[in-house]
Amino acid sequence: MAVDTCIKPKYHDDGEDDDEPMIFKRSKTTSKQNQLNSEIKKVSSQRPDGPSKRPTPDTSSPNCQSSSLQKGKVVSIAKTPASKSLIANSKASTSLADKSKQLPRQNSGINNIEKKPLNKPPIKPNADSEDSDDDKPLSARLTVATATSQKSNASNVVKGRSSSIPSSSMSEKARVDIKKSSEDSEDEIPLSSKFQLKSGAGSSVKKSYDSDEEKPLASKIQQNGSIKKENEPLKSPKVLNKRPLCDINTSVHSSVKKPKLSDASVSAKVKQVSVKAEPKKEDDDDDVPIAQRMKKSATSDSKSQSMKKTITKVVSSSMKKTSKKSKKVMKNSKYSKSTKLQPSSGEGQKWTTLEHNGVIFPPPYKPHGVKMLYNGQPIDLTPEQEEVATMFAVMKDTEYATKEKFIENFMNDWRVILGRNHVIKKFELCDFTPIYEWHQNEKEKKKQMSTEEKKTLKEEKLKQEEKYMWAVVDGVKEKVGNFRVEPPGLFRGRGEHPKMGKLKKRIRPSDITINIGKGAPIPECPIPGERWKEVKHDNTVTWLAFWNDPINPKEFKYVFLAASSSLKGQSDKEKYEKARLLKDYIHDIRANYTKDFVNKDLMKRQIAVATYLIDKLALRAGNEKDDDEADTVGCCTLKVENVELVAPNKLQFDFLGKDSIRYFNTVEVELPVYKAIGQFQTGKKDGEDLFDKLDTSKLNAHLKELMPGLTAKVFRTYNASITLDEMLNKETKDGDVAEKVVVYQHANKEVAIICNHQRSVSKSHTAQMSRLSEKMDELKALLDGLKTDLARAKKGKPPLKDADGKPKRNLAPEALERKINQTNAKIEKMERDMKTKEDLKTVALGTSKINYLDPRISVAWCKRHEVPIEKIFNKSLLAKFAWAMDVDPSFRF
DNA sequence: GCTCTGACTTGCTGCGAAAGCT
DNA sequence: AGCTTTCGCAGCAAGTCAGAGC
């Protein structure tokens, strides 16, 4: 159906889908959403709301300083502003360590902390308290000594380590001593390692509010050596051994986390709590605070006035709709899985009307007829066989093509298609080169096409896809995210994924379930003669279509709306509101877990320590994984060998996290934490769970007792956002826009490091750097020449000849001095650029910007400092964060 | 109480287009 | 103008977490 034709006018989507205006449409709708809000809301209503109440933190030392440490060396760093320099390969300095000692240790108070029922919204005395350390990311508060993380790979590291005594058999002391050395060759340092955390994480509790408290602990980390991951072969942190499922007798608690002890009382409690937290009633009032806040800001922002009008309109209509819905949900439920209904809320409804055109399929395979060789002989393949051979051939120059597992899985699946009696049997005899070359050739041809041809092609594609690009949700035209069905290919799992290389078969309409509004036209199946697997009308979910993942049929691939849609925007906003709410609770939460470091109940102790690590290091929760997934861990799934004690009170982490990215970091921790970790390790072997009494659901259940809706991942959002907020506030000085943008990038970088967001070094990095240093040499030579000329000019002598032996122009000393100054400036700039380039070569800034930094912080900061928001957000981020654009300039996280 | 399922968020990479440089 | 570098975005893998069901 011609979506746009009918829609545009109606929804004032004046046209162009292209962007922005649309975005604002339903922005303020508070209605539907948020179950979570509902939980939160109540609470949030109690927090001081306006930004205005927020004192500007003076915060002496940001956590973010990044002094550089030599990898491997454990160094604690104090919050020295000076240390802010970027990553850097500087050496660790003992003085830094000393400094850290001088930091007021919040520790002391630990024992004094009274246990308060965190559950009540700890009403924070607003203002002042906010600047206390509590609001800082924990990590920020600590001194992380060395930290490094890097993309998987570190086999050497691993080896070095593993050769050491099995931790299980070591005494705590023994363990402590071992670690250090080996691995830390500079290269292997992961991002996080580049920082240091300030010391004193959880301890904050008592001493409170002076400087660091509100910062994310993590933010206080400092960088240390350089990260390197470049082309290293996948290294394995100590972890690499796959979960030894069976090889360990104690396996019960080891890799296979099975039944864990659980504290009945706790869980029971939890349940209650969480249920309580969600009662719908709250919605109403709950919405208040947030909405109010938004309103406020909107009002104050004169610029947004005009926009607001539009928005309001739209909003109101959608709000109406939404409110109607809630009741419907129940009714509709019969179509959806009944299971989906939210027991306590009835507000699971996500939309009232939904129209879209389904999905588009990749074109059928076109055989090329190029023959591969087997044992030197050209081989005839059927189109189906050729298709799979081609999938492999085109990956010839990727690392995958050399991986044993990849090849094995590929061959297994290909053999099925080749059939039992096919001549092709052994991979070693296969030569895919002809196909590979054909493919390269095709690529080249494409490249050589004229601009015109390219344009035409693009337009054709657009024409075909246009209708799939849009959906109409509750009367509003919204962009669809991934409306293209994934083409067949070989599965490229990350890290050492056991299924890499398997064939992802072609998805057909009969694999796809469509979700669409009742009464809306059912999308036509684009492949003649075929039909959808199923059509549902489930308005409690946001997906438009899904199919089963061909690699893991138990899992699904969904088609959702684009990030710029209001449905997504809404949940984004809720996410940040929840994180902001944590600010009000963090003080008590830290006090609570600090107290529990020594709790007699082992599970409680583990929860306390795990929460501390999540808070301080921004670790992920760490769900259990199946054996047919890559062997990575998060906090709850840390294995004994992933953490080593470094006397007197440091922990060295080394594991593969999400996406098999290595996390390698040495951090100074509270002594009780240090001791507790030692206890958790005692009597266990490598491969066993460090937190054997814990899993993510227990941990999250516990967190919910402390704050409605709190889960492990909220800490990441909180720590990232608060770090940005504080750094921006503290470091922005008068200056031109460019300088301010640099401040922003710096803050962004700190967050990326806290979150361990890495990227691989671009292939051309080295070349680029050497080109730059060549230029630098030239500049320096030029400078020398100028200086010589100047000296001569002052004596009335003519300049020396240039490199080619040609005479140079005779310049006056003043002119030469000017030139010298210019050249110096150029050199400085180039040095800065080179440093930045080097620093950021392995740091990915985008991920945190997209997922962790409350856009309102950035928008408000831009408004306050007259930085055009476009300098910070690109087009798609502007669209995604439309809901944040009218924030009050005084907004603080 | 635990496991499994389902839904949704987070994360990195690679490709193509745009921007910058010579 | 042509080449290089950066940027934006699509693609899709891999997490988190809630809730149902056994």
Side-chain angles (χ1 to χ4, degrees):
Chain A
M1 69 185 174
V3 175
D4 28 35
T5 12
C6 44
I7 306 170
K8 280 186 194 163
K10 204 165 167 188
Y11 319 115
H12 23 143
D13 158 7
D14 358 59
E16 285 345 8
D17 340 334
D18 261 79
D19 332 317
E20 34 243 294
M22 259 175 64
I23 312 170
F24 288 86
K25 288 183 208 160
R26 298 194 283 168
S27 58
K28 300 195 176 170
T29 329
T30 38
S31 41
K32 27 174 130 180
Q33 52 262 38
N34 337 332
Q35 289 103 297
L36 57 101
N37 266 341
S38 42
E39 305 171 356
I40 299 178
K41 297 172 178 176
K42 256 194 190 151
V43 186
S44 67
S45 59
Q46 313 186 13
R47 54 194 302 231
D49 99 31
S52 44
K53 305 205 172 154
R54 219 187 161 170
T56 329
D58 67 302
T59 340
S60 45
S61 39
N63 324 328
C64 354
Q65 37 275 71
S66 34
S67 79
S68 17
L69 298 184
Q70 190 94 13
K71 295 156 178 205
K73 315 222 165 106
V74 179
V75 181
S76 45
I77 297 202
K79 353 167 169 189
T80 342
S83 55
K84 267 174 189 165
S85 54
L86 307 189
I87 305 185
N89 316 313
S90 31
K91 335 261 146 123
S93 79
T94 43
S95 58
L96 286 179
D98 293 340
K99 277 181 197 164
S100 72
K101 287 182 198 149
Q102 302 164 6
L103 291 180
R105 231 35 195 134
Q106 309 148 317
N107 250 347
S108 35
I110 298 177
N111 300 327
N112 307 331
I113 300 164
E114 285 160 85
K115 182 158 199 178
K116 298 174 204 156
L118 288 186
N119 219 352
K120 309 168 190 154
I123 295 169
K124 218 169 183 177
N126 57 19
D128 31 27
S129 62
E130 306 200 6
D131 287 333
S132 69
D133 250 9
D134 279 341
D135 285 345
K136 304 172 183 169
L138 258 199
S139 44
R141 314 207 226 148
L142 307 185
T143 316
V144 169
T146 349
T148 333
S149 59
Q150 99 193 89
K151 257 164 187 205
S152 52
N153 353 341
S155 49
N156 26 3
V157 173
V158 182
K159 277 182 196 150
R161 276 224 193 106
S162 50
S163 60
S164 53
I165 312 158
S167 35
S168 51
S169 61
M170 303 176 6
S171 69
E172 184 177 318
K173 238 197 198 162
R175 274 187 200 181
V176 173
D177 297 338
I178 299 184
K179 51 219 59 204
K180 348 191 112 186
S181 40
S182 60
E183 53 231 21
D184 316 62
S185 70
E186 296 246 300
D187 319 308
E188 320 198 298
I189 303 187
L191 276 197
S192 50
S193 61
K194 303 197 192 171
F195 313 84
Q196 300 191 328
L197 297 183
K198 286 179 182 170
S199 48
S203 49
S204 54
V205 183
K206 53 114 145 309
K207 97 133 290 158
S208 57
Y209 321 114
D210 47 279
S211 39
D212 282 345
E213 285 225 328
E214 300 197 336
K215 299 177 185 160
L217 273 194
S219 73
K220 305 196 181 168
I221 305 187
Q222 303 187 338
Q223 290 185 330
N224 150 45
S226 54
I227 309 174
K228 161 196 236 147
K229 48 178 174 182
E230 305 159 67
N231 317 314
E232 300 164 13
L234 281 206
K235 305 178 178 168
S236 19
K238 342 173 117 192
V239 179
L240 267 196
N241 28 348
K242 298 247 147 169
R243 267 174 228 184
L245 288 193
C246 8
D247 40 333
I248 300 184
N249 20 354
T250 25
S251 59
V252 185
H253 352 276
S254 55
S255 20
V256 195
K257 245 177 197 176
K258 281 292 140 96
K260 296 202 175 135
L261 305 193
S262 46
D263 179 339
S265 65
V266 171
S267 27
K269 225 189 202 171
V270 171
K271 239 179 211 161
Q272 269 181 1
V273 174
S274 51
V275 172
K276 257 190 235 153
E278 309 190 64
K280 2 165 138 188
K281 268 210 167 169
E282 304 181 344
D283 282 14
D284 311 294
D285 13 358
D286 288 349
D287 276 351
V288 179
I290 295 172
Q292 270 176 354
R293 237 180 263 146
M294 301 306 272
K295 248 182 233 161
K296 249 191 203 167
S297 48
T299 345
S300 58
D301 186 13
S302 55
K303 269 192 185 171
S304 55
Q305 292 303 341
S306 57
M307 208 123 218
K308 256 190 290 170
K309 278 185 195 157
T310 335
I311 298 170
T312 327
K313 259 193 213 157
V314 181
V315 171
S316 57
S317 66
S318 70
M319 277 172 94
K320 268 182 224 154
K321 278 180 191 152
T322 352
S323 46
K324 280 183 217 154
K325 308 173 189 176
S326 26
K327 280 151 203 174
K328 275 184 170 180
V329 187
M330 300 292 189
K331 291 182 200 156
N332 283 343
S333 64
K334 65 178 153 181
Y335 298 104
S336 52
K337 336 170 182 209
S338 47
T339 64
K340 294 261 132 74
L341 285 186
Q342 317 269 317
S344 60
S345 61
E347 52 179 316
Q349 182 167 346
K350 301 286 181 29
W351 46 265
T352 302
T353 66
L354 171 65
E355 300 171 40
H356 61 86
N357 290 302
V359 293
I360 186 167
F361 292 85
Y365 180 69
K366 271 203 230 131
H368 48 66
V370 176
K371 294 183 175 28
M372 60 171 290
L373 306 177
Y374 187 73
N375 206 6
Q377 300 302 310
I379 295 290
D380 282 325
L381 295 175
T382 66
E384 216 192 350
Q385 295 164 347
E386 179 194 282
E387 181 180 15
V388 182
T390 305
M391 290 171 187
F392 187 87
V394 303
M395 291 179 74
K396 192 162 167 266
D397 48 12
T398 70
E399 215 179 290
Y400 286 110
T402 62
K403 292 192 174 182
E404 212 176 292
K405 193 75 204 174
F406 189 91
I407 292 171
E408 179 192 327
N409 287 332
F410 157 69
M411 284 304 290
N412 286 342
D413 285 359
W414 192 35
R415 270 193 208 104
V416 173
I417 292 172
L418 290 172
R420 190 158 281 238
N421 300 319
H422 202 279
V423 55
I424 295 178
K425 302 274 185 224
K426 293 184 178 167
F427 176 77
E428 305 74 56
L429 299 179
C430 292
D431 182 358
F432 297 93
T433 316
I435 300 180
Y436 171 78
E437 283 169 352
W438 163 83
H439 176 251
Q440 294 298 99
N441 205 350
E442 290 294 299
K443 265 193 351 198
E444 190 53 31
K445 275 195 221 159
K446 224 173 163 186
K447 228 175 172 176
Q448 297 306 328
M449 283 192 305
S450 70
T451 326
E452 267 312 296
E453 288 172 310
K454 283 183 190 166
K455 203 177 150 199
T456 320
L457 229 56
K458 203 175 161 186
E459 277 164 5
E460 273 171 23
K461 191 180 176 213
L462 186 70
K463 213 167 142 192
Q464 282 183 351
E465 297 186 338
E466 171 71 21
K467 74 170 194 176
Y468 300 100
M469 291 167 61
W470 305 97
V472 181
V473 186
D474 294 345
V476 178
K477 185 178 171 189
E478 303 269 21
K479 245 182 174 158
V480 178
N482 52 329
F483 52 86
R484 298 180 194 90
V485 169
E486 292 177 22
L490 300 181
F491 175 69
R492 300 151 105 108
R494 313 221 170 111
E496 297 302 317
H497 196 116
K499 293 193 169 179
M500 65 168 75
K502 283 181 70 63
L503 175 63
K504 279 202 307 181
K505 63 154 193 145
R506 184 174 289 269
I507 303 298
R508 322 204 61 93
S510 55
D511 296 314
I512 296 183
T513 299
I514 296 283
N515 190 31
I516 195 147
K518 228 175 156 193
I522 291 171
E524 189 187 332
C525 177
I527 301 184
E530 300 200 30
R531 41 191 297 203
W532 306 118
K533 179 180 183 182
E534 194 181 350
V535 175
K536 292 188 167 195
H537 312 283
D538 183 354
N539 67 358
T540 66
V541 296
T542 65
W543 53 265
L544 310 183
F546 83 84
W547 63 90
N548 288 82
D549 179 359
I551 294 298
N552 189 350
K554 283 191 300 192
E555 287 170 5
F556 317 97
K557 298 285 198 173
Y558 292 94
V559 174
F560 291 116
L561 292 173
S564 56
S565 65
S566 50
L567 222 43
K568 292 280 190 192
Q570 227 165 277
S571 73
D572 225 24
K573 188 168 104 191
E574 287 156 23
K575 172 180 78 182
Y576 291 114
E577 280 307 308
K578 197 198 267 185
R580 287 183 82 203
L581 183 58
L582 177 54
K583 196 163 70 84
D584 293 345
Y585 287 83
I586 194 71
H587 180 268
D588 286 357
I589 288 174
R590 286 174 180 166
N592 186 37
Y593 68 57
T594 300
K595 199 178 64 179
D596 279 346
F597 289 158
V598 293
N599 196 306
K600 290 199 187 83
D601 180 327
L602 180 56
M603 186 173 88
K604 286 185 180 151
R605 221 181 318 138
Q606 291 196 353
I607 285 178
V609 172
T611 309
Y612 170 86
L613 296 180
I614 284 168
D615 185 16
K616 170 168 171 148
L617 299 178
L619 299 189
R620 295 187 185 84
N623 282 314
E624 281 300 317
K625 299 186 71 183
D626 286 345
D627 299 322
D628 59 359
E629 298 176 273
D631 197 13
T632 61
V633 302
C635 186
C636 293
T637 41
L638 282 169
K639 302 286 176 265
V640 167
E641 71 275 19
N642 294 143
V643 187
E644 292 193 14
L645 302 170
V646 179
N649 65 336
K650 296 193 176 82
L651 299 177
Q652 184 178 69
F653 294 83
D654 190 357
F655 59 89
L656 294 185
K658 181 176 176 179
D659 290 329
S660 292
I661 302 261
R662 186 180 180 204
Y663 184 91
F664 179 50
N665 193 3
T666 305
V667 194
E668 184 176 320
V669 297
E670 308 286 314
L671 198 56
V673 169
Y674 178 85
K675 288 183 176 161
I677 295 282
Q679 291 162 6
F680 302 157
Q681 289 176 327
T682 306
K684 291 182 195 160
K685 298 185 178 131
D686 281 4
E688 293 187 51
D689 289 323
L690 181 67
F691 297 110
D692 57 312
K693 302 284 182 252
L694 201 55
D695 62 24
T696 52
S697 50
K698 281 180 196 142
L699 178 65
N700 283 335
H702 169 77
L703 294 176
K704 282 200 179 57
E705 286 187 281
L706 307 181
M707 181 190 110
L710 183 61
T711 63
K713 80 184 186 115
V714 179
F715 285 92
R716 260 168 96 80
T717 312
Y718 163 77
N719 280 330
S721 286
I722 195 110
T723 299
L724 177 77
D725 188 78
E726 306 237 326
M727 280 191 75
L728 288 182
N729 222 40
K730 201 173 309 153
E731 295 183 8
T732 310
K733 311 258 156 52
D734 289 340
D736 60 23
V737 168
E739 287 167 327
K740 289 173 185 166
V741 170
V742 168
V743 169
Y744 188 94
Q745 282 173 337
H746 181 217
N748 191 171
K749 191 193 97 185
E750 293 301 319
V751 172
I753 292 171
I754 289 168
C755 295
N756 200 32
H757 290 148
Q758 298 191 39
R759 60 172 180 163
S760 54
V761 180
S762 85
K763 286 171 201 152
S764 54
H765 178 82
T766 318
Q768 288 172 23
M769 287 306 282
S770 49
R771 221 169 295 144
L772 286 175
S773 36
E774 270 170 31
K775 276 188 195 161
M776 177 73 96
D777 291 344
E778 283 167 21
L779 281 176
K780 284 181 176 162
L782 174 66
L783 183 64
D784 287 347
L786 288 169
K787 283 179 178 167
T788 311
D789 293 348
L790 176 62
R792 293 176 63 89
K794 281 181 178 168
K795 291 179 195 161
K797 297 181 187 171
L800 296 175
K801 298 191 172 160
D802 70 11
D804 301 333
K806 292 179 192 158
K808 286 190 269 189
R809 219 163 30 117
N810 209 346
L811 294 175
E814 299 73 39
L816 284 167
E817 274 168 4
R818 234 177 295 129
K819 278 199 154 196
I820 287 176
N821 287 339
Q822 286 169 357
T823 311
N824 270 326
K826 269 193 191 169
I827 290 177
E828 275 173 32
K829 177 172 186 298
M830 187 169 278
E831 276 173 346
R832 235 180 301 130
D833 289 351
M834 286 177 73
K835 190 166 183 299
T836 308
K837 200 179 177 76
E838 188 63 32
D839 285 349
L840 294 180
K841 73 176 179 189
T842 55
V843 184
L845 300 186
T847 306
S848 49
K849 216 189 246 184
I850 295 171
N851 298 303
Y852 290 108
L853 301 176
D854 187 333
R856 292 170 297 181
I857 299 170
S858 306
V859 174
W861 175 82
C862 282
K863 286 177 179 173
R864 288 199 297 275
H865 298 282
E866 298 180 323
V867 174
I869 187 67
E870 294 76 17
K871 296 275 177 197
I872 304 298
F873 292 152
N874 62 33
K875 196 175 148 194
S876 55
L877 287 180
L878 285 173
K880 172 176 162 108
F881 297 140
W883 59 268
M885 294 301 156
D886 59 355
V887 67
D888 191 285
S890 60
F891 176 92
R892 296 293 307 278
F893 182 73

